[in-house]
Amino acid sequence: MNEKKNALAALALGAIGVVYGDIGTSVLYAFKQAFAQGHIAVNEPNVLGVLSMFVWALIGVVAFKYVGLVMRADNHGEGGMMALLALAARSIEGRPRLTLMVTMLGVFGVALFFGDGVITPAISVLSAVEGLEVATPAARPFIIPVTLAVLALLFVVQRRGTGDIGRFFGPVMVLWFLVIGLAGAFQVAQEPLVLQALSPLYGLDFALQRPGLTFITLGAVFLCLTGAEALYADMGPFGARPIRLAWFALVMPALVLNYLGQGALVLQRPDAIDNPFYLLAPPWALVPFVVLATVATVIASQALISGAFSATKQAIQLGFMPRMTVTHTSTRETGQIYVGAINWLLLTGVVVAVALFRSSDKLAAAYGISVSLLMVITTVLTYFVVRHAWHYPAWLAAAATAVFLAVDLLFFSSNALKVVEGGWFPLLVAALLYLVMSTWRRGRALLAESTRATSIDLREFLESVFVAPPPRVSGTAVFMSAVQGTTPSALMHSLKHYKVLHVQNLFVSVRSHEVPWIGLDKRVEVEPLGHDCWQIVVNYGFKNDFDIPKALQMVRARGIDLEPMGTSYFLSRDIVVPTLGGGMPLWREKLFAQMHHNASAAAEFLKLPANAVVELGSKVEI
């Protein structure tokens, strides 16, 4: 029993360090944004009304929607947009049009996640460093350079991995939540009137008295929810129970106390609305406060960067992105990976965002719209899971979805007012990424269709070959085939040029499944083709690591004598040729051809030994 409690506590501590960094640092900028435009006067009814909306947004969206409902929609214990997309698509198999719609919706959700990944580090670190200006106005010229230096250092160290520093994330974030909670509680004690904001009636009264202002203010209120998606996205490593325990035991009380504390402060000193978070700290603690906030925002950014790497790997294996080099940065933790291309693209986007907007207030105008739209997509996809995977009655699934969707659309509509002010930036990032992902997905489908149309059935080809068999040479040939059951072009080129066949021939296809993990007992499927030839399918989940030589060692139990030193791997290196009148506009076909050309080598991605690979090229028109 004690061991279970200790394990639960350890997982909850880890969840605090990884899952709650983003939502935990929203206190730096969210509350002041509600009054930043000058539309709302800083007086008692307005402060209590806004605070009430903050508190009940946390309760309704985070506690009820994500903790209560969405986290139940796990894909074999895994969460996140890719896992939810796979779960929703699998629940409506046999309905091609609906599946396509759900797939494209989910792909756009993943693209929005990356758009959020550009804004989050920028606004978090910049808002933390801006505390220096509260300490001394002389620091103002150094805020942007210091922010860029911190962000650059954060991305540069990604290659080294975060295993060594990751163990400190939990304790540091626990300290962060304790500090912000105590700072808020101290201020609430000075102005206990602010506790009335815990009643939803104040938020409701504010909305009824000022509906227009309420609509505008919801965009700022939503900022306290940014990071809520992480509760679901990071469910795999920690589990639902530790995340829920951390939320209710520490994170939610600390956030509510801090927001109430900021409200209590501005009730006493209306001028404190310029930066109420840092003004909660006594003068002697301001610099330590800034340092702790900067560390907390770096941790929040790190969690999002790691999430981007993980989402990229999943998208690659599900066929939504071209192959990229994925480096494991830890020998102990399989989930710690580094994707160089994504790392540098994120850094470029973050630097552009900081240089373009130059303040957390302006970045706040760009923030929220992508996250709110992502929440809308999450709600829609969850409906298909509730209705078709869990088989709840249609009326109940629709009613529950309608309630959450109405709230999500209200937040999104309010955030849509920010498009001109800066909301266009993350939407542009998401749109570009969606174009890349959808083009890659469609291009791969066209490539497979073209391959099937021009290929020969493998069994028929082998039967014709063995009518007058060529000489056999010692060893094993592994022919990688993208389309199961078809003759790999590498085999035909090999017979044409070398005019020999190996003693053993394995025709291997890789199949990615819409589940996170495929166990070793289901890793390989073997079908004998005769004449010491076998068709082999290697199965992977979207979180498994591809390793073909390791997987093929499992066929020994099927009577196939496979010696690593005597095995050669033959790959078909397709050169894509765009054609007019194909399945996509010519410019998209050219984009796909370029991505296909620049994708990392299949041999490296499949972990094939470099000294045992033979690549034979061919041209394929799409």
Side-chain angles (χ1 to χ4, degrees):
M1 183 66 71
N2 287 335
E3 289 183 4
K4 288 184 178 180
K5 288 183 178 179
N6 291 337
L8 179 61
L11 287 170
L13 178 64
I16 290 169
V18 174
V19 175
Y20 291 110
D22 191 358
I23 198 169
T25 51
S26 296
V27 292
L28 286 162
Y29 49 81
F31 181 70
K32 70 174 182 177
Q33 285 303 313
F35 299 88
Q37 302 299 319
H39 299 303
I40 307 175
V42 182
N43 55 41
E44 182 181 311
N46 291 347
V47 170
L48 293 178
V50 170
L51 280 175
S52 180
M53 288 192 288
F54 269 75
V55 171
W56 284 93
L58 290 170
I59 294 173
V61 175
V62 182
F64 281 105
K65 178 184 174 182
Y66 281 92
V67 175
L69 176 64
V70 175
M71 286 179 64
R72 292 184 59 208
D74 66 289
N75 192 341
H76 296 266
E78 295 292 328
M81 182 53 66
M82 290 304 304
L84 181 61
L85 168 59
L87 191 61
R90 197 164 67 246
S91 71
I92 51 174
E93 281 181 330
R95 304 179 186 184
R97 290 186 179 180
L98 188 58
T99 301
L100 178 63
M101 183 200 77
V102 167
T103 299
M104 291 299 99
L105 195 63
V107 170
F108 190 59
V110 176
L112 287 167
F113 171 78
F114 282 96
D116 178 37
V118 171
I119 295 292
T120 296
I123 190 172
S124 298
V125 176
L126 183 55
S127 60
V129 176
E130 284 174 344
L132 294 172
E133 189 177 355
V134 178
T136 170
R140 179 176 297 178
F142 303 101
I143 289 174
I144 298 298
V146 170
T147 298
L148 292 175
V150 170
L151 288 167
L153 181 63
L154 172 63
F155 281 92
V156 166
V157 301
Q158 293 302 312
R159 180 183 289 274
R160 299 179 179 272
T162 59
D164 293 334
I165 60 174
R167 67 188 66 177
F168 299 108
F169 284 6
V172 170
M173 290 308 295
V174 167
L175 176 63
W176 167 256
F177 284 114
L178 289 174
V179 168
I180 65 172
L182 289 172
F186 177 80
Q187 199 63 49
V188 169
Q190 311 302 309
E191 188 67 53
L193 170 73
V194 78
L195 290 172
Q196 296 179 59
L198 293 174
S199 168
L201 297 178
Y202 283 86
L204 183 61
D205 182 66
F206 182 88
L208 293 175
Q209 296 293 330
R210 307 165 185 80
L213 283 178
T214 300
F215 184 70
I216 296 172
T217 307
L218 284 176
V221 173
F222 183 78
L223 294 175
C224 79
L225 303 174
T226 55
E229 284 280 338
L231 276 73
Y232 179 56
D234 293 315
M235 188 166 57
F238 302 104
R241 191 180 176 196
I243 292 175
R244 289 175 177 138
L245 175 63
W247 172 253
F248 288 111
L250 177 64
V251 177
M252 182 176 170
L255 292 177
V256 170
L257 280 172
N258 192 267
Y259 285 124
L260 291 175
Q262 292 186 47
L265 177 65
V266 298
L267 284 177
Q268 296 175 4
R269 294 172 46 197
D271 61 310
I273 195 61
D274 291 338
N275 205 324
F277 175 80
Y278 279 117
L279 291 173
L280 284 176
W284 60 266
L286 187 54
V287 172
F289 224 45
V290 173
V291 172
L292 179 60
T294 303
V295 174
T297 55
V298 167
I299 291 174
S301 302
Q302 175 60 61
L304 195 141
I305 294 167
S306 299
F309 293 160
S310 178
T312 299
K313 179 188 173 187
Q314 295 173 29
I316 292 171
Q317 296 188 192
L318 286 173
F320 291 108
M321 281 187 176
R323 293 185 303 272
M324 301 180 199
T325 301
V326 178
T327 305
H328 287 267
T329 58
S330 172
T331 57
R332 298 188 301 271
E333 300 292 334
T334 58
Q336 290 190 16
I337 59 175
Y338 169 77
V339 186
I342 296 298
N343 188 64
W344 302 123
L345 284 173
L346 280 176
L347 175 58
T348 301
V350 168
V351 170
V352 169
V354 172
L356 190 63
F357 294 97
R358 304 190 68 82
S359 77
S360 61
D361 287 343
K362 292 180 180 177
L363 269 169
Y367 201 33
I369 188 166
S370 59
V371 188
S372 59
L373 187 52
L374 180 58
M375 286 187 174
V376 171
I377 293 173
T378 298
T379 300
V380 173
L381 293 184
T382 304
Y383 165 79
F384 291 101
V385 176
V386 173
R387 176 70 185 98
H388 299 287
W390 298 349
H391 305 294
Y392 276 76
W395 69 268
L396 182 59
T401 301
V403 172
F404 290 117
L405 191 60
V407 175
D408 291 339
L409 288 173
L410 196 58
F411 278 123
F412 171 68
S413 300
S414 179
N415 277 290
L417 299 175
K418 303 178 180 180
V419 170
V420 177
E421 299 175 36
W424 58 268
F425 183 76
L427 290 180
L428 177 63
V429 172
L432 291 174
L433 188 59
Y434 175 79
L435 173 64
V436 168
M437 295 174 72
S438 59
T439 299
W440 180 257
R441 177 81 166 183
R442 178 60 179 153
R444 285 183 75 250
L446 292 174
L447 189 60
E449 289 174 12
S450 179
T451 301
R452 288 191 189 94
T454 57
S455 64
I456 304 170
D457 181 78
L458 179 59
R459 281 185 177 275
E460 294 178 1
F461 182 79
L462 290 177
E463 287 175 7
S464 66
V465 167
F466 286 110
V467 169
R472 308 290 287 264
V473 296
S474 61
T476 301
V478 176
F479 293 94
M480 302 302 302
S481 176
V483 182
Q484 180 185 350
T486 61
T487 305
S489 59
L491 172 61
M492 292 188 285
H493 287 303
S494 176
L495 286 171
K496 176 182 178 181
H497 294 292
Y498 306 135
K499 297 179 174 54
V500 295
L501 202 62
H502 284 73
V503 170
Q504 291 188 135
N505 296 276
L506 310 183
F507 301 93
V508 179
S509 297
V510 176
R511 184 185 299 164
S512 291
H513 295 264
E514 294 178 337
V515 294
W517 308 100
I518 295 290
L520 294 178
D521 58 324
K522 299 178 181 178
R523 177 72 76 233
V524 295
E525 300 172 17
V526 180
E527 180 186 355
L529 300 174
H531 306 282
D532 291 318
C533 298
W534 292 269
Q535 171 77 65
I536 296 177
V537 177
V538 184
N539 298 293
Y540 290 105
F542 58 75
K543 296 202 77 172
N544 285 127
D545 291 323
F546 285 13
D547 191 329
I548 295 301
K550 184 177 179 181
L552 291 181
Q553 290 303 309
M554 301 175 68
V555 303
R556 288 175 177 271
R558 311 291 180 93
I560 303 173
D561 185 20
L562 192 66
E563 291 297 329
M565 297 302 295
T567 302
S568 299
Y569 296 86
F570 291 83
L571 300 179
S572 301
R573 182 74 174 184
D574 296 326
I575 300 172
V576 177
V577 180
T579 58
L580 280 170
M584 289 190 295
L586 185 61
W587 67 270
R588 287 189 71 188
E589 290 191 1
K590 289 182 177 179
L591 173 61
F592 172 73
Q594 192 63 39
M595 288 192 292
H596 190 274
H597 176 74
N598 292 327
S600 66
E604 179 184 3
F605 186 74
L606 298 172
K607 292 186 174 60
L608 305 182
N611 59 353
V613 174
V614 179
E615 285 194 312
L616 300 169
S618 61
K619 291 185 178 181
V620 181
E621 293 186 351
I622 60 172

